[in-house]
Amino acid sequence: MTLDAVLLIASGIPLTLAVTAGAFALGAVLGIPLCALRVSRSSTLHLAAVAIIMLLRSIPPIVWLFLLYFGIGSGFLRVGPVEASVAALGLITAANMAEIYRGALRGVHSGQWEASTALGMKPWARFRDVLAPQICRMALPSSVTFFIGLLKDSAIASTIGVGEIAFQANYISRRTFEGLEVFAVAGLVYILISLPIAAMSRQLDSRLRERVAQ
Amino acid sequence: MLSVSPREERADALVSRREYVRVEGLGKSFGPHRALDDINFAVRSGEVVAIIGPSGSGKSTLLRCLNQLETQSEGSVTLAGITIDAAKPATRQQLTELRRSAGMVFQSFNLFPHMSVLRNVSLPQERVLGRSRKEADERSRALLSRVGLEAKADQYPNRCSGGQQQRIAIARALALDPKIMLFDEPTSALDPELGLEVLAVMQELAEAGMTMIVVTHEMHFAETVSDRIIIMADGRIIEEGPSAEVMRRPTTERAQRFLNAVKNR
């Protein structure tokens, strides 16, 4: 296998990262209102959120991707492959992040909300100053795990022609018939990206734990 | 033997003072369960009232109705001039004012674990009273030294003992200049030694003239520090009066039974 081939595979890294980061950002933001609906006291809103989350999670990512790209994207709305990938993976991420936030919310002691209420803090201040930082801290490990999973799932974007790592590897293997080496290198690239992210998360987590663990 | 204790002297002076709390016909139901039933009492400015009674008698629920952490099913609560009636829901402004007037200390401390001790005390001042960070920090440091914890200002709460955390929680509540302090079993989560340092801070507060309502299992504190004792059982007030009198000569059979149980151990 030539250096050129390795470099070509590596040239897919930016798009892999872009699709992953874009989808994660979209999901992390959309997950907040979805989680709010999920824990709502109104049973209509609660059921709506449960249904949305179930729908998003029980359909495979690649089906969502084709649905958005070939379904909506080829009709009245023009959607490029990168946008379609970010949207499809982002929606699935939103459902998962909503559940991660909900778990973190349950992990925050109910006394925290009560104490800030009794102190006379307004609902927004209670959320921003007291709840949100603790939820983020609690949600960190599961979020990073999900992010790394998403990084690998982003490979499905290759099926609609996004030139990321898996796409480049596929392209080279078809031309050179060196499937084993090429995909081994692609796998190695994924590992090399995941490892530092996991290490950073562990370090951040233990630092936070040391400081504020209860 | 006939000497008048300072507390009794204070009790006499209290008669002329302003009423800070008035509870009328207060009732609270959780589904079919009746937690509070027809509660009536008043607390005057500077008075220290201890609420005692067996577990599940509604003491904490009563305290939580006073600052509307629980909304009552019937009756009204008047605290520092704000009346909240079960018949009509409280406005947000009423609730804000009510809670600003009443500081609350919880059994589980409830300090914010992600903030330093100083931030714990300063943040509510900034958010609720609109103090600047500098003003708030100054006030916080003064209060932390009042509860003997100036040195802990830059630590995180989990680096402090339970007794220290509860004293910080008291400082946090005091920082908002409340008219009345509500204590919900402040020493129940602490071992006896650590409980003492919290009780000492509370006694100091009482002597400084703070109006206090204390839900407690500390009989000695109830007898020696409070002016008046309310005994509750099954969601009702079964006995009420000057502390020494209630402790020594309870009139109802239920109160006698409770006091015997807690004294003879």
Side-chain angles (χ1 to χ4, degrees):
Chain A
M1 206 177 132
T2 62
L3 180 67
D4 278 355
V6 175
L7 286 178
L8 194 56
I9 292 176
S11 75
I13 294 175
L15 268 177
T16 289
L17 290 177
V19 168
T20 309
F24 188 79
L26 184 67
V29 173
L30 288 181
I32 296 171
L34 201 51
C35 173
L37 291 180
R38 179 72 175 76
V39 298
S40 162
R41 258 169 292 183
S42 145
S43 57
T44 322
L45 295 180
H46 167 83
L47 283 176
V50 171
I52 293 171
I53 290 172
M54 211 183 64
L55 190 71
L56 287 174
R57 293 219 291 192
S58 47
I59 295 176
I62 197 158
V63 176
W64 274 119
L65 187 65
F66 287 179
L67 208 62
L68 286 185
Y69 187 63
F70 298 119
I72 299 173
S74 60
F76 57 97
L77 204 70
R78 297 295 306 160
V79 183
V82 175
E83 292 91 319
S85 307
V86 168
L89 292 171
L91 285 175
I92 296 162
T93 305
N96 285 286
M97 288 308 287
E99 292 297 274
I100 291 175
Y101 293 146
R102 189 168 66 94
L105 185 65
R106 274 218 303 246
V108 178
H109 193 268
S110 64
Q112 294 289 311
W113 185 257
E114 275 189 357
S116 46
T117 307
L119 285 163
M121 290 169 69
K122 300 228 165 67
W124 171 239
R126 276 180 249 162
F127 178 74
R128 187 189 53 184
D129 297 321
V130 178
L131 275 196
Q134 295 189 65
I135 291 175
C136 286
R137 193 247 155 284
M138 292 258 186
L140 180 74
S142 334
S143 306
V144 174
T145 307
F146 185 81
F147 184 90
I148 292 173
L150 190 64
L151 182 81
K152 292 175 287 180
D153 284 348
S154 71
I156 63 161
S158 63
T159 58
I160 56 168
V162 177
E164 43 72 79
I165 298 170
F167 179 87
Q168 306 295 1
N170 198 20
Y171 172 74
I172 298 165
S173 80
R174 276 169 191 230
R175 263 197 349 192
T176 60
F177 302 105
E178 290 178 328
L180 186 65
E181 293 96 322
V182 171
F183 284 111
V185 169
L188 194 67
V189 173
Y190 280 110
I191 292 175
L192 289 177
I193 304 175
S194 304
L195 282 181
I197 297 173
M200 254 164 20
S201 138
R202 262 199 305 278
Q203 207 183 10
L204 185 63
D205 187 53
S206 61
R207 219 174 49 210
L208 288 174
R209 198 180 291 274
E210 192 181 306
R211 213 173 60 177
V212 302
Q214 271 186 313
Chain B
M1 285 304 284
L2 282 170
S3 72
V4 176
S5 77
R7 198 188 65 249
E8 279 160 28
E9 241 170 71
R10 208 152 65 93
D12 290 337
L14 281 172
V15 179
S16 58
R17 297 224 193 149
R18 241 184 89 198
E19 211 171 76
Y20 261 10
V21 177
R22 172 163 284 277
V23 173
E24 280 174 329
L26 192 76
K28 171 77 185 174
S29 302
F30 293 105
H33 174 66
R34 197 86 181 119
L36 293 175
D37 194 26
D38 193 29
I39 304 281
N40 298 281
F41 71 94
V43 178
R44 291 176 181 280
S45 142
E47 205 174 10
V48 178
V49 175
I51 303 179
I52 62 176
S55 295
S57 58
K59 309 181 295 285
S60 288
T61 308
L62 171 57
L63 203 67
R64 291 160 62 85
C65 282
L66 293 182
N67 71 350
Q68 296 290 299
L69 280 184
E70 301 280 0
T71 47
Q72 67 265 34
S73 313
E74 306 100 46
S76 70
V77 169
T78 305
L79 194 146
I82 301 140
T83 300
I84 297 194
D85 201 288
K88 56 173 193 277
T91 65
R92 187 163 276 186
Q93 203 201 340
Q94 275 184 311
L95 288 177
T96 309
E97 273 180 57
L98 182 85
R99 287 170 182 152
R100 192 179 293 184
S101 308
M104 188 160 192
V105 174
F106 298 87
Q107 181 178 348
S108 51
F109 326 136
N110 297 343
L111 292 179
F112 305 135
H114 57 296
M115 295 176 199
S116 70
V117 166
L118 186 69
R119 279 311 284 157
N120 260 280
V121 186
S122 290
L123 180 89
Q125 300 177 55
E126 290 167 31
R127 294 289 180 270
V128 178
L129 303 179
R131 286 183 185 148
S132 72
R133 182 129 184 190
K134 190 166 162 287
E135 271 178 300
D137 282 351
E138 248 167 57
R139 177 98 172 102
S140 303
R141 286 190 192 278
L143 282 164
L144 284 172
S145 76
R146 184 172 173 189
V147 299
L149 290 171
E150 221 179 347
K152 291 281 181 186
D154 301 316
Q155 296 273 357
Y156 279 84
N158 72 318
R159 289 269 179 273
C160 303
S161 74
Q164 291 170 336
Q165 290 194 40
Q166 194 60 297
R167 283 146 66 196
I168 295 161
I170 293 174
R172 180 174 71 175
L174 288 176
L176 299 177
D177 304 321
K179 296 202 169 84
I180 177 167
M181 286 285 285
L182 310 173
F183 292 86
D184 189 5
E185 302 196 22
T187 57
S188 296
L190 300 171
D191 68 48
E193 262 183 336
L194 294 179
L196 272 187
E197 61 186 52
V198 173
L199 291 173
V201 167
M202 291 167 63
Q203 180 161 8
E204 191 262 332
L205 261 184
E207 279 159 9
M210 175 59 80
T211 312
M212 294 163 58
I213 301 180
V214 186
V215 169
T216 188
H217 290 294
E218 304 273 356
M219 293 305 139
H220 184 71
F221 178 87
E223 186 168 356
T224 57
V225 179
S226 69
D227 302 296
R228 213 142 49 81
I229 289 181
I230 290 173
I231 305 185
M232 288 184 69
D234 305 319
R236 298 171 154 275
I237 293 180
I238 54 167
E239 186 104 21
E240 182 188 0
S243 301
E245 226 168 85
V246 169
M247 288 304 267
R248 282 173 217 151
R249 289 179 297 277
T251 55
T252 62
E253 188 272 337
R254 183 70 185 90
Q256 281 164 11
R257 206 154 28 105
F258 171 71
L259 287 173
N260 278 336
V262 291
K263 280 175 174 173
N264 298 336
R265 59 197 297 106

